Amino acid sequence: MYPVDFYLKLDTDDYVNVGICIGLLPITGIPLPFISYGGSALMSTMFLMGLVLNISFRSKAYMFDQDVR
């Protein structure tokens, strides 16, 4: 559930930025994820991606695991 929410947040930011660049949307000041220079926007994006990677890492079952989940 959480990875889908984080993906939608990043995807929405991308669509808004593309709309701003081609002139369909007014300038709102939303930073482009992973590209724009900024402290809080970059830190929150990296935090969200760390959570997504942590969830995906912990949800996989490996072939040679000793404990079965």
Side-chain angles (χ1 to χ4, degrees), residues 5-57:
D5 295 336
F6 299 147
Y7 173 75
L8 287 175
K9 185 239 182 266
L10 293 175
D11 203 32
T12 303
D13 288 348
D14 290 341
Y15 285 129
V16 168
N17 276 295
V18 169
I20 289 170
C21 288
I22 61 176
L24 292 176
L25 296 172
I27 298 173
T28 59
I30 298 174
L32 190 61
F34 300 115
I35 295 176
S36 295
Y37 180 77
S40 61
L42 184 62
M43 290 301 290
S44 65
T45 304
M46 292 295 182
F47 177 74
L48 291 177
M49 288 310 296
L51 284 176
V52 169
L53 289 173
N54 190 11
I55 291 169
S56 68
F57 177 73

